[in-house]
Amino acid sequence: MGRIGVLLLNLGGPDKLEDVRPFLYNLFSDPEIIRLPFSWLQSPLAWMISSLRAKKSKANYQQIGGGSPLRRITEEQASALEDKLRQQGHDATVYIGMRYWHPFTEEAIAQIKRDRIEKLVVLPLYPQFSISTSGSSFRLLEQLWDKDPALQAIDYTLVPSWYERSGYLRAMADLIADEIDRAPDPDGVHVFFSAHGVPVSYVEEAGDPYQREIEDCTTLIMQTLNRPNEYTLAYQSRVGPVEWLKPYTEDAIEDLAAQGIKTLAVVPISFVSEHIETLQEIDMEYREIAEEAGIEHFQRVAALNTHPVFIEDLANLVTDAIDSPAIQFSEVIRPEKNMKMYPQENWEWGMTTSAEVWNGRLAMLGLIALLVEILVGRGPLHALGIM
Ligand SMILES: C=CC1=C(C)c2cc3[nH]c(cc4nc(cc5[nH]c(cc1n2)c(C)c5CCC(=O)O)C(CCC(=O)O)=C4C)c(C)c3C=C
Ligand SMILES: [Fe+2]
Ligand SMILES: [Fe+2]
């Protein structure tokens, strides 16, 4: 077997407060996150939303020490995985390609070319597939491949999702069991899975398998845990005015408290590292909501980070992927063409000339409203909590 490259894909996060606004700009420039009827609107809108959201987002990053730990943790995971693969006798190098911040996917690809990698396993660090996460990174890679014969010469395979793997499930169950056993009444602990949300339109219109995969994943983790504890699945971190997957985490916490539940073990389930939504949103915001609602023990299950069972499973996943038929870009799920996506659910698509004219007018009105909101610092986006 020739030289193996493993490309770990991840979201990326601002290393320091000055990075927050440009990081958000990159995120909102992604048509897989916000798709607009006119591509020329993407950059100005991304600029405006990122400028408006930066203040709130910076305050959150400030609360966790002024930046995201994602780069450091992903580097630790990459180096643990590389060590494990080498111990198993593989001449493997692990690369990190972040979607919205350093080290960018393009930088990883440039290094992969310089290293003359012959066999590449593309492995997103998202256990479940979403159009907005793994799908977006695959789309970016596909664009790079389309224009580069050197990349086309690499024998690559994609791993769309991997939440069913037994090592991953065992590592998650271990961490949950640790937390349950710490509680005063272990059997009374309510296991609370909090998944990152996506807008409902992703699932219902674009065909995103994310919700189904998350639901399957929680069932499999509970089977692996094999304890009598009750459990709930809810969705956190919504952004913007559209409807996201329900129940929302804060509502589900309040419902459980109203039912008399006293202990929650909150399990972050969409992501394998600590990041802003575990350290700030769960540990600070949801804790406060829970305690106010009457939850007496609000416990949070740690993220996998470099859990040895998890890293070993990732190494096996890489070798399994090499031994299986390759999965190409054309085989992964992508949103249907002309699919409506966040945040313009109510806009008509330009199927007819008159719709097109109205789209243009609405887009201009929206743009003007956003400009006014930036200037005055108040408006519907602030009211809805986007900024
Ligand atoms: C599987 C995980 C994730 C999904 C699905 C996802 C979808 C999604 N996210 C946004 C908007 C934002 N995400 C932000 C940060 C962020 N998102 C994820 C993961 C998923 N996102 C992570 C791990 C992080 C944090 C990285 C870090 O710095 O630690 C942010 C920025 C932070 C903030 O301002 O709140 C935004 C904005 C949308 C719109 C979306 C689906 C359409
Ligand atoms: Fe996100
Ligand atoms: Fe958040």
Side-chain angles (χ1 to χ4, degrees):
M1 199 182 292
R3 304 197 56 203
I4 302 172
V6 179
L7 174 58
L8 296 180
L9 300 174
N10 211 339
L11 187 119
D15 298 311
K16 48 188 187 310
L17 291 182
E18 301 86 274
D19 300 339
V20 170
R21 192 211 287 235
F23 159 75
L24 291 174
Y25 174 81
N26 293 340
L27 189 141
F28 290 115
S29 300
D30 180 359
E32 247 57 35
I33 291 279
I34 296 185
R35 176 152 322 166
L36 298 168
F38 306 104
S39 55
W40 57 266
L41 256 181
Q42 191 88 35
S43 290
L45 196 78
W47 180 81
M48 276 187 284
I49 301 180
S50 57
S51 305
L52 288 161
R53 194 176 168 85
K55 192 172 162 210
K56 181 175 174 180
S57 192
K58 270 187 190 173
N60 291 344
Y61 282 105
Q62 178 79 64
Q63 287 187 295
I64 62 162
S68 171
L70 203 53
R71 180 177 189 158
R72 174 183 54 77
I73 297 170
T74 311
E75 282 169 355
E76 287 166 7
Q77 290 168 326
S79 118
L81 174 59
E82 191 173 276
D83 289 349
K84 193 50 116 191
L85 285 165
R86 290 186 177 187
Q87 276 167 25
Q88 293 177 353
H90 302 289
D91 179 15
T93 307
V94 180
Y95 303 85
I96 296 172
M98 300 290 197
R99 183 67 183 86
Y100 307 120
W101 202 245
H102 300 278
F104 287 112
T105 309
E106 291 86 342
E107 298 168 38
I109 290 296
Q111 191 60 47
I112 285 168
K113 280 168 62 180
R114 282 196 292 275
D115 291 350
R116 300 188 186 285
I117 292 297
E118 293 160 17
K119 177 94 205 170
L120 183 67
V121 177
V122 180
L123 174 54
L125 283 176
Y126 307 98
Q128 311 85 10
F129 181 91
S130 168
I131 290 166
S132 61
T133 55
S134 307
S136 164
S137 283
F138 290 160
R139 179 74 71 101
L140 171 64
L141 287 172
E142 186 175 17
Q143 285 161 4
L144 298 175
W145 247 253
D146 278 351
K147 57 185 185 209
D148 191 340
L151 292 177
Q152 290 158 19
I154 298 177
D155 182 10
Y156 75 90
T157 186
L158 308 177
V159 182
S161 69
W162 43 269
Y163 65 90
E164 290 163 311
R165 292 195 61 91
S166 63
Y168 162 75
L169 295 170
R170 201 149 36 85
M172 288 296 288
D174 275 3
L175 292 172
I176 297 171
D178 285 350
E179 212 50 59
I180 288 178
D181 291 337
R182 244 191 281 280
D185 168 23
D187 287 354
V189 174
H190 194 95
V191 179
F192 188 104
F193 291 99
S194 190
H196 197 297
V198 294
V200 170
S201 61
Y202 280 55
V203 175
E204 292 187 355
E205 293 170 49
D208 198 335
Y210 179 74
Q211 182 179 22
R212 182 184 52 73
E213 295 199 1
I214 287 281
E215 287 171 0
D216 278 2
C217 181
T218 52
T219 309
L220 291 171
I221 293 174
M222 287 310 290
Q223 281 167 6
T224 313
L225 179 65
N226 197 21
R227 296 273 188 113
N229 302 72
E230 298 281 317
Y231 79 98
T232 294
L233 165 64
Y235 295 90
Q236 67 174 80
S237 315
R238 65 186 186 282
V239 183
V242 300
E243 192 189 6
W244 285 51
L245 294 181
K246 284 186 179 144
Y248 298 145
T249 293
E250 61 271 34
D251 297 341
I253 290 175
E254 285 172 348
D255 284 353
L256 291 170
Q259 288 166 34
I261 294 203
K262 295 292 173 211
T263 308
L264 293 184
V266 182
V267 190
I269 198 198
S270 323
F271 214 60
V272 295
S273 324
E274 298 295 350
H275 63 291
I276 186 136
E277 337 244 92
T278 55
L279 301 171
Q280 195 276 333
E281 199 165 4
I282 299 180
D283 290 355
M284 300 180 188
E285 290 181 29
Y286 295 135
R287 175 182 300 278
E288 197 180 322
I289 291 173
E291 287 173 353
E292 272 171 20
I295 300 287
E296 289 168 7
H297 306 281
F298 183 87
Q299 302 180 201
R300 210 255 298 163
V301 173
L304 288 167
N305 292 348
T306 52
H307 190 298
V309 177
F310 166 57
I311 296 295
E312 182 163 4
D313 198 35
L314 282 187
N316 297 336
L317 170 51
V318 168
T319 49
D320 289 351
I322 290 170
D323 294 338
S324 308
I327 300 179
Q328 312 275 301
F329 294 118
S330 58
E331 292 168 65
V332 293
I333 293 165
R334 58 191 69 216
E336 283 158 36
K337 221 168 184 267
N338 281 349
M339 156 58 216
K340 290 182 266 177
M341 278 163 84
Y342 169 92
Q344 71 299 343
E345 250 71 336
N346 300 324
W347 294 12
E348 268 298 309
W349 279 84
M351 305 301 177
T352 64
T353 319
S354 73
E356 211 121 39
V357 168
W358 275 103
N359 279 337
R361 286 177 186 164
L362 284 173
M364 279 320 294
L365 275 176
L367 212 58
I368 292 164
L370 275 166
L371 274 171
V372 171
E373 186 157 343
I374 292 175
L375 291 173
V376 300
R378 275 205 324 232
L381 294 172
H382 283 78
L384 288 161
I386 308 180
M387 322 295 162

